[in-house]
Amino acid sequence: MSLPAGLTAAVLASAGLTGTGTAQASQTSQPSQASRSTQASQPTQPPPVKHPAPTIGATAIPRHALTGYWQNFDNGATVQKLKDVDDAYDIIAVSFAEATGQPGAVAFRLDPAVGYASTDAFKADIKAKQAAGKSVILSVGGERGAVSVNDAASAKNFADSVSGLMDEYGFNGVDIDLENGLNSAYMTQALKAVHERHADVVVTMAPQTIDMQSPQNEYFKTALGIKDFLTAVNMQYYNSGSMNGCDGKVYAQGTVEFLTALACIQLAGGLAPSQVGIGVPASARAAGGGYAAPSVVNAALDCLTRGSNCGSFKPAKTYPGLRGAMTWSTNWDAANGNAFATQVGGHVHGLP
């Protein structure tokens, strides 16, 4: 479901973006884009604390990175262990941590369907990926995720549980994939608390397209609130129908223009190029709509970083530091012959 063009254009105009030249879940379909962020009263926030740039432990995130979600369940895609994930993936998001009975807290349990004989074997695979220069993070939420962080207590519970899982499993960080509403003030508070405990934390986000149409949206405000340590926003450029780009025009999903004109919103709205990635399904089977062939994704990457292969929309400037691309999922990619890892991964790693 998409917003009416007039309404979206009005939102963009109010944000000062009009005329500027912005994972799939645990099942095979995504919810509609109609979900809204919680509009709770916001607490007074102290001035942001500046932190040194994260070192990611002994592993640095590449200038241009490929991110893939790894499924801790079997939904018809190729079942993998972490060690089976294609080497092209620089960041692997383990999907998903889920809500517990304690507000804001999350837990992670290995699904027997993925074939691990023990938790220790899973942890060993995490370490092996890290030894190969990869970052393995824990994704929170998904399509059916019901994690709610909307007050100080739940923010603390979220930070405590995420930090505990990072320590227990050795995860490099956390991915926020909450598709049923998000409170920017308290999620920002929670993520800053995680960062205080793990200065090298990798933090990624996978908002739906509707969540990043304006810097006034809760997801966008969260990204800006943690900009000093945010790794990347890999928006889901799919399952949304047509949406407005930063020029106020409507673009159809699955096209080069859709990818570039929506990325432009994020770039014009305050995120650094290194914090913007293009998230797409690994195959037509991986999402309900919006699949873009590797050639389309690569053209969009070229347009944003080099100003070439743009189609009908061309940004007013280029962004050579663009982070890269993301896909749902490594499992669906494996089922499709690892075409995304091979074609898009190779292209990402060859960007300027």
Side-chain angles (χ1 to χ4, degrees):
M1 174 179 176
S2 62
L3 283 180
L7 175 59
T8 313
V11 171
L12 291 173
S14 68
L17 297 180
T18 303
T20 304
T22 183
Q24 171 67 283
S26 60
Q27 303 298 320
T28 56
S29 62
Q30 291 278 75
S32 75
Q33 298 282 27
S35 61
R36 280 292 189 270
S37 299
T38 304
Q39 299 296 329
S41 58
Q42 307 301 314
T44 300
Q45 294 294 308
V49 177
K50 296 299 181 182
H51 302 278
T55 58
I56 323 302
T59 303
I61 300 295
R63 172 178 167 84
H64 300 298
L66 192 72
T67 300
Y69 285 78
W70 174 81
Q71 298 178 188
N72 180 42
F73 49 84
D74 179 5
N75 67 346
T78 299
V79 175
Q80 294 180 314
K81 293 181 180 177
L82 281 179
K83 65 183 180 181
D84 301 321
V85 173
D86 193 283
D87 190 57
Y89 289 100
D90 304 293
I91 303 174
I92 303 167
V94 171
S95 311
F96 293 99
E98 299 177 342
T100 69
Q102 186 179 30
V106 298
F108 174 75
R109 298 176 183 82
L110 273 174
D111 188 330
V114 300
Y116 278 102
S118 67
T119 301
D120 286 343
F122 176 68
K123 293 177 181 178
D125 275 2
I126 292 176
K127 289 182 179 179
K129 279 294 183 183
Q130 292 167 335
K134 316 302 180 182
S135 294
V136 182
I137 63 178
L138 180 63
S139 183
V140 176
E143 176 188 0
R144 299 186 176 185
V147 180
S148 180
V149 178
N150 54 18
D151 58 24
S154 57
K156 183 179 185 303
N157 291 340
F158 182 90
D160 289 347
S161 57
V162 167
S163 294
L165 290 168
M166 287 178 63
D167 293 338
E168 179 182 355
Y169 287 91
F171 293 120
N172 294 96
V174 61
D175 169 73
I176 306 301
D177 184 12
L178 298 177
E179 302 177 13
N180 298 293
L182 181 151
N183 181 295
S184 62
Y186 290 111
M187 181 53 73
T188 298
Q189 179 179 313
L191 291 172
K192 285 184 175 181
V194 174
H195 183 234
E196 288 291 340
R197 302 181 199 184
H198 299 272
D200 58 356
V201 65
V202 176
V203 180
T204 64
M205 305 173 74
Q208 298 171 104
T209 55
I210 191 64
D211 296 320
M212 299 299 287
Q213 283 275 288
S214 164
Q216 301 307 311
N217 290 0
E218 294 295 289
Y219 238 115
F220 211 136
K221 288 196 290 187
T222 302
L224 294 175
I226 61 168
K227 185 178 176 180
D228 61 332
F229 62 90
L230 172 67
T231 305
V233 174
N234 295 302
M235 190 178 75
Q236 301 177 40
Y237 292 72
Y238 53 96
N239 284 341
S240 69
S242 297
M243 298 294 290
N244 281 78
C246 65
D247 57 354
K249 295 181 180 179
V250 180
Y251 295 100
Q253 62 181 0
T255 64
V256 172
E257 294 86 356
F258 186 84
L259 303 179
T260 56
L262 268 69
C264 173
I265 297 175
Q266 299 171 58
L267 293 162
L271 293 182
S274 63
Q275 295 173 322
V276 176
I278 294 175
V280 294
S283 71
R285 295 179 61 199
Y291 170 68
S295 60
V296 173
V297 180
N298 289 345
L301 293 169
D302 286 343
C303 177
L304 291 167
T305 60
R306 298 185 171 103
S308 60
N309 299 324
C310 288
S312 63
F313 170 77
K314 186 172 183 177
K317 59 185 292 187
T318 58
Y319 305 91
L322 195 82
R323 179 61 75 180
M326 170 275 278
T327 197
W328 177 267
S329 63
T330 64
N331 306 74
W332 284 113
D333 192 20
N336 197 39
N338 284 316
F340 190 89
T342 301
Q343 298 176 48
V344 178
H347 202 78
V348 164
H349 296 141
L351 290 174

